[in-house]
Amino acid sequence: MKDKPTIPRIKSVETRYLEERETLFRGLQNLGRRGFLKVSTGAAAAAMAAGVSNHFHSFLPVNVAYAAEGAATPGFTFAYISDSHLYIKKTNERFVRQLLRAVDDVNRLDPQPDFVFYGGDLAQLGRKEELDLGAQILKSIKAPVHMMAGEHDWYFDLGQRWNELFGAQTYSFDHKGVHFVVLMSVVEKDFWSARGMTPAERMHTVAGLDNAVQSAFEVGAPQREWLRKDLEKIPTTTPIIVFSHSPLYKLYRPWNFWTDDAEEVQALLQRFDRVTVLHGHTHQVLTNRIGNIQFHGMLSTAWPWPYAPQGLPALTVQMNRPNPFDSNDGLGDGTVAVHPDGLVDKLYNLWNRNPMQVKASYLSSGGKSDVPTAPTLASY
Amino acid sequence: MKKFGSLALILLASMLPAGADSQSPSPQQSPATPAPGSKTVKLCDNKTTVQVPNDAPRTRAEGQKISDALMAQWKATNPNNDWVQGEVEAHQVVTPADNSKLIGTGQSSTYGTVTKQDVQVWKNETYKTAVYGSTVFHSGDQLGSEIAVSCDMCHPRAANTHPESYPKFQPQLGRVALLRDMINWCIEHPVRGKVLAPDDPKMRALEAYIIAQRKGVPLDYGKR
């Protein structure tokens, strides 16, 4: 190494942009109350240099984790990765690479998130080889990982391999004063038996987002009963964060951006003061509020979905239309900052673009304050 | 060979010998040469045949029997003949314009007097092209994808394909792109398949499907 001649390093515009973005993120992640001024000044400079001044205000307090008197939680962050749709590596190496990129992202977070949540659809066709590959990759995540199942994980062997690898698909846990619930919201009524489908045919049918042969997603009565019991002894002041693969509301039935018994599930959650639902499946920035329940989508690492032609919640500020010439555009991962009051700011870490943050205050104010920057090119 | 429907039956029925009498022997599936005292009736695929006794009664009912026998034989050798229905059950395809108002009208030029059958044929053939496009759109195999990716994985129901916005200058290509240029770009890159010639039946069908799904949206070429 020491014999290497010193050549002046010329950095490309892209390299400089990425470095500045990196500095900005590091600064924001390390943000504490005392460091606030220092970092925000530096961040502002970096943001200006990177040409993100329009977005700057929208992702300033990423991690405001300090304890307030009588707060529900000391505040913390967790990260998420979702919808990787892995084939085996021989079939499709691109999706594998993209999941690895997300794993690198969360491993580089400093400070580390309290845990990483995986939002479902780890596999594309629910095969053992795909799930095993996904499990192996996720093992390199430094923080603890919590898993959720998606329909692509499920409908080849009806969850058998997924359960072997990751345990129960429905569960709850408590973390720093917040009650977390993980649901299996992509239960489908049996459409396959009558048609005499093989497991592979059943999986292919469910894997097609616009395939009308399949049934609507639902949580189903047994799980709703489980949820009712699980929440029974929790005081209404405890913040609740629910994970579901499909959005726990009715957006667009032809693509199963939908949960058929959403109202029943929402009814079980309405008595709590602060409820947040995070969902996968939609592969896009998606924001909604129904009563006291705030909803956020998760980004995919495989491909982005377009916005549904109908039913888009009024509070959703669309992410820019993905650039088809950039195979990583519209994809990413993200972090969730849980405030002391238990509500969350949701950061969409969009690869190759500026991040987008949707704050609890945006939702609480009914879209009046902290409005995310509007996209240049929305859906057609 | 997936092109037969009720039209074939109608044509066959009209081909049948008219009149005659006596009992009704069922038409026999054809051997290589017609049996003595019978003649060969061929389906419009120019392959499928049945033997009809020369003394078969010349009634509509008998004609229907011959036609049914031909179609039954054809369906047995073409098991995927209901592919349109199968595809439409899985993937909604927008139906083409309804031209039934034209039936029985006209100045007796151009297409002459438009019949119900004309309108049906126009609709069926147009729709079938779009439905074929839907099968290609939803199949990594048909697209020749090396990585098991198909169009619908980013464009459910052809969403966000916006055919109405072409032609337009595509800065990433450095030139004006037509819809087919973008289809081929996607086939080559995200899908990692083999690009299609502009007149390839699959390309024509993909264009038909994508345009069908945007029915009613005003053309706005050059739109970003």
Side-chain angles (χ1 to χ4, degrees), chain B residues 116-172:
Chain B
K116 198 175 163 187
Q117 201 182 86
D118 288 333
V119 168
Q120 196 62 38
V121 170
W122 300 341
K123 188 178 170 184
N124 287 355
E125 292 303 306
T126 310
Y127 191 53
K128 218 155 60 183
T129 306
V131 174
Y132 175 47
S134 174
T135 67
V136 180
F137 196 87
H138 289 87
S139 164
D141 288 343
Q142 287 211 55
L143 292 158
S145 172
E146 293 168 11
I147 55 170
V149 167
S150 51
C151 313
D152 61 298
M153 282 161 75
C154 290
H155 301 282
R157 286 193 177 180
N160 243 359
T161 49
H162 42 79
E164 75 282 4
S165 71
Y166 298 101
K168 70 174 157 194
F169 184 77
Q170 201 70 46
Q172 303 97 325

Side-chain angles (χ1 to χ4, degrees), chain A residues 10-291:
Chain A
I10 297 164
K11 288 178 182 172
S12 69
V13 174
E14 289 79 11
T15 308
R16 273 188 282 135
Y17 168 75
L18 289 170
E19 280 180 4
E20 281 154 1
R21 191 174 183 274
E22 177 83 19
T23 312
L24 174 63
F25 261 107
R26 285 276 165 88
L28 292 172
Q29 290 295 340
N30 288 323
L31 191 68
R33 256 195 307 180
R34 282 194 300 162
F36 180 84
L37 246 158
K38 194 178 150 213
V39 172
S40 62
T41 314
M48 294 297 277
V52 294
S53 52
N54 287 342
H55 305 255
F56 178 57
H57 76 280
S58 71
F59 62 91
L60 189 59
V62 173
N63 184 1
V64 204
Y66 57 89
E69 203 67 33
T73 159
F76 59 95
T77 64
F78 63 92
Y80 76 84
I81 303 175
S82 194
D83 294 84
S84 301
H85 294 270
L86 296 180
Y87 287 107
I88 58 166
K89 202 172 169 184
K90 201 179 102 200
T91 304
N92 186 326
E93 168 256 349
R94 187 202 301 155
F95 294 167
V96 177
R97 221 168 45 227
Q98 287 165 190
L99 175 58
L100 288 168
R101 179 173 178 175
V103 169
D104 281 351
D105 278 356
V106 299
N107 278 345
R108 286 188 342 184
L109 289 172
D110 182 17
Q112 275 286 287
D114 283 13
F115 60 87
V116 177
F117 189 81
Y118 192 85
D121 286 354
L122 180 60
Q124 166 68 0
L125 296 174
R127 300 302 174 115
K128 177 180 181 297
E129 297 77 19
E130 297 169 354
L131 290 163
D132 289 355
L133 172 65
Q136 194 188 356
I137 293 172
L138 295 180
K139 271 181 190 161
S140 54
I141 293 177
K142 290 190 277 185
V145 177
H146 292 287
M147 295 296 296
M148 177 164 68
E151 79 278 12
H152 285 257
D153 303 319
W154 207 257
Y155 284 94
F156 180 68
D157 61 4
L158 299 177
Q160 194 188 327
R161 186 60 187 159
W162 196 93
N163 287 146
E164 282 166 16
L165 287 166
F166 307 116
Q169 70 271 26
T170 309
Y171 60 98
S172 63
F173 59 95
D174 294 292
H175 182 79
K176 293 186 179 171
V178 177
H179 186 66
F180 285 87
V181 175
V182 182
L183 294 175
M184 160 66 184
S185 67
V186 293
V187 176
E188 290 203 20
K189 292 203 164 63
D190 183 351
F191 62 84
W192 51 87
S193 297
R195 290 180 165 86
M197 287 183 170
T198 64
E201 285 168 343
R202 172 177 63 207
M203 183 67 250
H204 271 280
T205 303
V206 176
L209 190 77
D210 59 2
N211 193 316
V213 170
Q214 64 185 308
S215 318
F217 291 154
E218 61 175 14
V219 171
Q223 255 189 118
R224 293 203 306 271
E225 179 54 20
W226 172 90
L227 181 63
R228 193 189 60 74
K229 279 193 182 137
D230 182 73
L231 297 175
E232 215 165 38
K233 289 184 183 127
I234 313 262
T236 56
T237 50
T238 302
I240 308 283
I241 296 182
V242 179
F243 293 103
S244 61
H245 184 68
S246 56
L248 274 185
Y249 56 94
K250 291 177 171 169
L251 201 168
Y252 188 58
R253 171 66 185 89
W255 299 351
N256 256 337
F257 284 14
W258 187 272
T259 304
D260 222 34
D261 51 357
E263 288 87 353
E264 283 105 313
V265 181
Q266 289 165 17
L268 295 170
L269 299 168
Q270 287 293 358
R271 77 179 169 90
F272 294 94
D273 298 337
R274 292 175 196 85
V275 185
T276 306
V277 176
L278 297 165
H279 64 84
H281 188 62
T282 53
H283 300 201
Q284 61 198 205
V285 174
L286 200 57
T287 313
N288 195 12
R289 198 186 98 180
I290 298 171

